[in-house]
Amino acid sequence: MKNANLTSDTVNPSVKEPVTFSAALKYRAGLHYFAVALSAVTLFLLFIGGMVTSTDSGLSVPDWPTTYNYNMFTFPPSMMVGGIFYEHGHRLVASLVGMLVIILCVALFRFETRSWLRWTGIGTLLLVILQGILGGITVIYKLPALVSVVHASVAELFFLLTVLLAFATSRTWMAAGPMVAPDTSRIRLSLIFCVAVFLQIIAGAIIRHNAAGMAIPTFPMAFEGWLPPFWNSGIFFHFLHSRIGALAIVILGGVLAFRLLSVKTAHVLFHRGLGILLFLLLTLQIVLGAFTIWSGKQALITSLHMAVGALIFGVSFLTFLAFCRLQGR
């Protein structure tokens, strides 16, 4: 019988037995759940941001950082009607996310021993500050497309950092031993998929912020054929996103999900859970993408499509982290 004091650093990953934490790490449930909550609120913020764009509410509040000359936090709720509800609500939730990040940074420096994780928290704070500035610029300069696309893209990267913070403070992370035999093929596949999803998100942001969401108004056909009968910039990015990019994501994501389901490790349930979740999200995203076009860009469907895309991005990054952190073949 093995010594009962074995740490996770010496556990054989092929043996399904309980693992204990490395002595260097201490799991703090409160810190982990707070990081998970931050990630969830950030995803909700992305959804609300999608609603702002989908309802053309971006300039419903024409001033910044005030709201119709009110302090943002004293603006009367009775005046939050129409597009103001979405735009001002977006600002309020963004402020909440910023406050949560500040609290998490303080907690990391108070309780966390890993210096890299502390500085990741600082990086997350700096990124949310940058997001606030970019959001202000989009209002002040009347929604310039380039700044709006950058604003949307940085929001996705911020979401990834919250996913990293949530995973790095979890039991699963701390129960994992050092990577002695990294599965480079799975790591490479998950990284490629993560980058592909980000490029797909950027293409979607270009479409949204250049009013090209219905540049190709049919699906799965492109007008009356498989290829558009004519091209312009809107049709190009729409075809790139809704056909070529979507097909690449489905193929890469399907292969990655299958690889997740085939992993044999002490953390097999975690990998399989990610694989099943990825399959479900990809299926849902295909349906939402189709209905976005069929509904003529109905605001709720379009925003859900964007939010699920962000969730797929988060899961792809979490998969990459899992393959890097958790041993197994």
Side-chain angles (χ1 to χ4, degrees):
M1 184 69 181
K2 293 183 178 181
N3 189 326
N5 293 322
L6 276 177
T7 68
S8 61
D9 293 349
T10 55
V11 171
N12 184 342
S14 64
V15 178
K16 299 177 183 178
E17 58 184 36
V19 291
T20 57
F21 301 152
S22 170
L25 299 177
K26 183 176 181 180
Y27 172 67
R28 298 181 185 275
L31 189 63
H32 170 61
Y33 289 129
F34 192 90
V36 171
L38 170 62
S39 188
V41 176
T42 300
L43 182 62
F44 180 60
L45 176 61
L46 291 172
F47 168 74
I48 296 177
M51 288 296 293
V52 171
T53 305
S54 300
T55 58
D56 293 321
S57 302
L59 291 177
S60 295
V61 180
D63 52 327
W64 184 89
T66 55
T67 299
Y68 288 98
N69 295 321
Y70 283 88
N71 179 287
M72 181 193 307
F73 303 106
T74 62
F75 184 73
S78 60
M79 295 177 63
M80 290 179 61
V81 295
I84 298 175
F85 173 80
Y86 295 110
E87 171 62 10
H88 184 64
H90 177 68
R91 296 185 186 187
L92 291 177
V93 177
S95 299
L96 173 61
V97 168
M99 288 186 284
L100 292 177
V101 173
I102 293 173
I103 295 172
L104 183 58
C105 282
V106 172
L108 287 171
F109 272 84
R110 172 66 178 83
F111 300 109
E112 182 56 56
T113 60
R114 291 167 288 179
S115 60
W116 70 266
L117 194 56
R118 292 178 174 183
W119 288 108
T120 299
I122 294 297
T124 306
L125 177 59
L126 293 176
L127 205 57
V128 79
I129 292 172
L130 174 62
Q131 268 299 84
I133 294 172
L134 288 171
I137 292 174
T138 61
V139 174
I140 293 171
Y141 291 97
K142 311 302 181 185
L143 305 179
L146 177 60
V147 178
S148 297
V149 170
V150 173
H151 181 58
S153 302
V154 172
E156 301 282 348
L157 296 177
F158 172 79
F159 178 54
L160 286 201
L161 286 182
T162 68
V163 170
L164 172 58
L165 292 170
F167 185 44
T169 55
S170 68
R171 286 181 181 272
T172 302
W173 180 289
M174 296 181 186
M179 179 66 78
V180 294
D183 190 341
T184 55
S185 65
R186 286 189 173 95
I187 291 175
R188 188 183 305 113
L189 175 61
S190 60
L191 180 58
I192 291 172
F193 179 66
C194 190
V195 172
V197 173
F198 187 49
L199 294 176
Q200 177 76 338
I201 286 172
I202 293 175
I206 292 173
I207 292 171
R208 283 199 314 277
H209 296 291
N210 286 279
M214 293 300 292
I216 301 177
T218 57
F219 184 86
M221 307 291 284
F223 297 96
E224 297 180 353
W226 292 110
L227 293 175
F230 60 94
W231 296 85
N232 56 36
S233 60
I235 291 175
F236 171 79
F237 281 106
H238 197 290
F239 190 82
L240 179 67
H241 175 78
S242 63
R243 270 68 171 184
I244 298 175
L247 180 61
I249 294 301
V250 168
I251 293 174
L252 285 172
V255 173
L256 180 59
F258 178 79
R259 297 293 298 273
L260 281 163
L261 294 174
S262 65
V263 169
K264 295 180 180 179
T265 169
H267 303 278
V268 62
L269 293 180
F270 183 79
H271 286 102
R272 288 182 180 176
L274 283 178
I276 293 171
L277 179 60
L278 186 55
F279 265 130
L280 293 176
L281 288 176
L282 288 172
T283 301
L284 177 60
Q285 188 69 333
I286 293 171
V287 173
L288 288 172
F291 274 95
T292 294
I293 296 175
W294 293 339
S295 68
K297 276 189 65 186
Q298 198 276 339
L300 179 59
I301 295 175
T302 303
S303 300
L304 286 173
H305 179 60
M306 194 213 73
V308 171
L311 190 53
I312 291 174
F313 190 34
V315 171
S316 71
F317 185 59
L318 183 57
T319 299
F320 170 72
L321 293 175
F323 283 143
C324 289
R325 175 64 181 167
L326 309 179
Q327 302 180 54
R329 289 286 180 180

